[in-house]
Tab-separated table of all heavy atoms in Angstrom:
chain	number	residue	atom	x	y	z
F	1	ALA	N	22.914	240.624	163.042
F	1	ALA	CA	22.618	240.021	161.744
F	1	ALA	C	23.589	238.914	161.380
F	1	ALA	O	23.265	238.033	160.571
F	1	ALA	CB	22.611	241.092	160.657
F	2	HIS	N	24.788	238.966	161.960
F	2	HIS	CA	25.811	237.987	161.600
F	2	HIS	C	26.080	237.017	162.742
F	2	HIS	O	27.186	236.478	162.875
F	2	HIS	CB	27.102	238.702	161.179
F	2	HIS	CG	26.958	239.440	159.898
F	2	HIS	ND1	26.341	240.667	159.801
F	2	HIS	CD2	27.311	239.106	158.628
F	2	HIS	CE1	26.335	241.064	158.551
F	2	HIS	NE2	26.916	240.149	157.812
F	3	ASN	N	25.092	236.781	163.538
F	3	ASN	CA	25.216	235.831	164.632
F	3	ASN	C	25.476	234.432	164.093
F	3	ASN	O	24.817	233.978	163.159
F	3	ASN	CB	23.923	235.840	165.455
F	3	ASN	CG	24.009	234.930	166.662
F	3	ASN	OD1	25.054	234.812	167.269
F	3	ASN	ND2	22.897	234.299	166.990
F	4	GLU	N	26.485	233.779	164.678
F	4	GLU	CA	26.829	232.406	164.313
F	4	GLU	C	27.000	232.251	162.807
F	4	GLU	O	26.273	231.535	162.136
F	4	GLU	CB	25.787	231.423	164.841
F	4	GLU	CG	25.719	231.412	166.361
F	4	GLU	CD	24.858	230.295	166.895
F	4	GLU	OE1	24.489	229.409	166.107
F	4	GLU	OE2	24.576	230.302	168.095
F	5	THR	N	27.997	232.944	162.305
F	5	THR	CA	28.265	232.960	160.868
F	5	THR	C	29.713	232.587	160.610
F	5	THR	O	30.590	232.934	161.380
F	5	THR	CB	28.000	234.361	160.287
F	5	THR	OG1	26.670	234.746	160.634
F	5	THR	CG2	28.139	234.369	158.782
F	6	THR	N	29.957	231.899	159.541
F	6	THR	CA	31.320	231.664	159.105
F	6	THR	C	31.587	232.571	157.914
F	6	THR	O	30.776	232.654	157.001
F	6	THR	CB	31.534	230.196	158.686
F	6	THR	OG1	31.226	229.364	159.802
F	6	THR	CG2	32.979	229.968	158.267
F	7	GLY	N	32.731	233.242	157.928
F	7	GLY	CA	33.004	234.138	156.819
F	7	GLY	C	34.464	234.465	156.696
F	7	GLY	O	35.245	234.209	157.605
F	8	ALA	N	34.831	235.000	155.561
F	8	ALA	CA	36.206	235.428	155.316
F	8	ALA	C	36.230	236.938	155.210
F	8	ALA	O	35.516	237.515	154.397
F	8	ALA	CB	36.753	234.808	154.038
F	9	LEU	N	37.011	237.575	156.068
F	9	LEU	CA	37.185	239.019	156.030
F	9	LEU	C	38.662	239.309	156.180
F	9	LEU	O	39.359	238.625	156.924
F	9	LEU	CB	36.409	239.699	157.169
F	9	LEU	CG	34.877	239.653	157.090
F	9	LEU	CD1	34.286	240.131	158.398
F	9	LEU	CD2	34.388	240.532	155.950
F	10	GLY	N	39.138	240.340	155.518
F	10	GLY	CA	40.562	240.655	155.631
F	10	GLY	C	41.372	239.525	155.034
F	10	GLY	O	41.202	239.146	153.883
F	11	ASN	N	42.232	238.897	155.844
F	11	ASN	CA	43.088	237.838	155.285
F	11	ASN	C	42.941	236.529	156.062
F	11	ASN	O	43.870	235.773	156.224
F	11	ASN	CB	44.549	238.280	155.277
F	11	ASN	CG	45.106	238.436	156.682
F	11	ASN	OD1	44.359	238.418	157.654
F	11	ASN	ND2	46.410	238.579	156.786
F	12	GLY	N	41.744	236.250	156.566
F	12	GLY	CA	41.562	234.999	157.284
F	12	GLY	C	40.103	234.633	157.418
F	12	GLY	O	39.212	235.397	157.040
F	13	THR	N	39.836	233.446	157.960
F	13	THR	CA	38.477	232.958	158.134
F	13	THR	C	38.241	232.678	159.607
F	13	THR	O	39.081	232.091	160.279
F	13	THR	CB	38.252	231.672	157.316
F	13	THR	OG1	38.518	231.954	155.948
F	13	THR	CG2	36.822	231.181	157.462
F	14	TRP	N	37.072	233.091	160.094
F	14	TRP	CA	36.749	232.891	161.508
F	14	TRP	C	35.328	232.370	161.644
F	14	TRP	O	34.466	232.633	160.799
F	14	TRP	CB	36.841	234.211	162.290
F	14	TRP	CG	38.205	234.785	162.340
F	14	TRP	CD1	39.131	234.628	163.331
F	14	TRP	CD2	38.824	235.624	161.372
F	14	TRP	NE1	40.278	235.313	163.032
F	14	TRP	CE2	40.113	235.935	161.834
F	14	TRP	CE3	38.411	236.153	160.148
F	14	TRP	CZ2	40.991	236.748	161.133
F	14	TRP	CZ3	39.283	236.956	159.447
F	14	TRP	CH2	40.551	237.245	159.934
F	15	TRP	N	35.094	231.669	162.744
F	15	TRP	CA	33.719	231.413	163.164
F	15	TRP	C	33.472	232.296	164.349
F	15	TRP	O	34.344	232.484	165.187
F	15	TRP	CB	33.538	229.955	163.591
F	15	TRP	CG	32.155	229.737	164.151
F	15	TRP	CD1	31.050	229.398	163.435
F	15	TRP	CD2	31.731	229.896	165.500
F	15	TRP	NE1	29.957	229.327	164.245
F	15	TRP	CE2	30.346	229.635	165.539
F	15	TRP	CE3	32.345	230.242	166.685
F	15	TRP	CZ2	29.592	229.687	166.701
F	15	TRP	CZ3	31.610	230.309	167.851
F	15	TRP	CH2	30.249	230.029	167.849
F	16	TRP	N	32.281	232.875	164.430
F	16	TRP	CA	32.016	233.723	165.572
F	16	TRP	C	30.536	233.722	165.946
F	16	TRP	O	29.669	233.410	165.146
F	16	TRP	CB	32.478	235.145	165.318
F	16	TRP	CG	31.731	235.891	164.257
F	16	TRP	CD1	30.614	236.649	164.401
F	16	TRP	CD2	32.074	235.955	162.878
F	16	TRP	NE1	30.232	237.189	163.214
F	16	TRP	CE2	31.104	236.778	162.254
F	16	TRP	CE3	33.086	235.406	162.102
F	16	TRP	CZ2	31.132	237.051	160.895
F	16	TRP	CZ3	33.105	235.682	160.761
F	16	TRP	CH2	32.150	236.493	160.175
F	17	ASP	N	30.294	234.093	167.178
F	17	ASP	CA	28.942	234.355	167.654
F	17	ASP	C	28.966	235.800	168.118
F	17	ASP	O	29.448	236.117	169.191
F	17	ASP	CB	28.596	233.408	168.810
F	17	ASP	CG	27.222	233.686	169.401
F	17	ASP	OD1	26.667	234.756	169.125
F	17	ASP	OD2	26.733	232.833	170.161
F	18	THR	N	28.489	236.705	167.293
F	18	THR	CA	28.603	238.129	167.603
F	18	THR	C	27.419	238.658	168.386
F	18	THR	O	27.437	239.784	168.849
F	18	THR	CB	28.732	238.941	166.303
F	18	THR	OG1	27.630	238.640	165.462
F	18	THR	CG2	30.025	238.638	165.598
F	19	LYS	N	26.353	237.880	168.503
F	19	LYS	CA	25.144	238.407	169.123
F	19	LYS	C	25.226	238.394	170.640
F	19	LYS	O	24.803	239.330	171.305
F	19	LYS	CB	23.931	237.612	168.665
F	19	LYS	CG	22.603	238.193	169.170
F	19	LYS	CD	21.431	237.460	168.562
F	19	LYS	CE	20.112	238.068	169.014
F	19	LYS	NZ	18.950	237.366	168.436
F	20	THR	N	25.745	237.310	171.194
F	20	THR	CA	25.763	237.166	172.638
F	20	THR	C	26.710	238.170	173.266
F	20	THR	O	27.798	238.394	172.784
F	20	THR	CB	26.228	235.743	173.007
F	20	THR	OG1	25.572	234.822	172.166
F	20	THR	CG2	25.934	235.437	174.451
F	21	GLY	N	26.320	238.764	174.353
F	21	GLY	CA	27.219	239.637	175.102
F	21	GLY	C	27.435	240.983	174.469
F	21	GLY	O	28.570	241.321	174.141
F	22	GLN	N	26.369	241.778	174.279
F	22	GLN	CA	26.493	243.124	173.723
F	22	GLN	C	25.950	244.165	174.682
F	22	GLN	O	25.512	245.241	174.251
F	22	GLN	CB	25.738	243.248	172.395
F	22	GLN	CG	26.543	242.849	171.200
F	22	GLN	CD	25.984	243.376	169.889
F	22	GLN	OE1	26.746	243.704	168.997
F	22	GLN	NE2	24.686	243.457	169.743
F	23	SER	N	25.978	243.894	175.969
F	23	SER	CA	25.298	244.768	176.924
F	23	SER	C	25.882	246.181	176.940
F	23	SER	O	25.147	247.162	177.094
F	23	SER	CB	25.343	244.170	178.327
F	23	SER	OG	26.683	243.956	178.747
F	24	PHE	N	27.209	246.303	176.777
F	24	PHE	CA	27.829	247.636	176.773
F	24	PHE	C	27.436	248.393	175.504
F	24	PHE	O	27.076	249.572	175.533
F	24	PHE	CB	29.345	247.506	176.882
F	24	PHE	CG	30.035	248.678	177.538
F	24	PHE	CD1	31.198	248.490	178.267
F	24	PHE	CD2	29.537	249.967	177.435
F	24	PHE	CE1	31.854	249.559	178.878
F	24	PHE	CE2	30.179	251.042	178.037
F	24	PHE	CZ	31.339	250.841	178.754
F	25	TYR	N	27.509	247.707	174.364
F	25	TYR	CA	27.057	248.317	173.118
F	25	TYR	C	25.613	248.797	173.250
F	25	TYR	O	25.267	249.921	172.869
F	25	TYR	CB	27.146	247.313	171.971
F	25	TYR	CG	28.472	247.237	171.245
F	25	TYR	CD1	29.635	247.760	171.801
F	25	TYR	CD2	28.557	246.630	169.997
F	25	TYR	CE1	30.838	247.672	171.131
F	25	TYR	CE2	29.755	246.533	169.313
F	25	TYR	CZ	30.899	247.061	169.890
F	25	TYR	OH	32.095	246.972	169.217
């Protein structure tokens, strides 16, 4: 759901692509 999203969590901001590469999950 959060693939290619920019967001602030904890104490910093990141860009990420969380969808790609989840084969173990």
Side-chain angles (χ1 to χ4, degrees):
H2 292 79
N3 183 36
E4 297 189 11
T5 306
T6 301
L9 292 169
N11 67 349
T13 302
W14 296 265
W15 174 89
W16 67 89
D17 177 345
T18 55
K19 186 174 182 180
T20 316
Q22 273 198 145
S23 58
F24 208 149
Y25 273 17

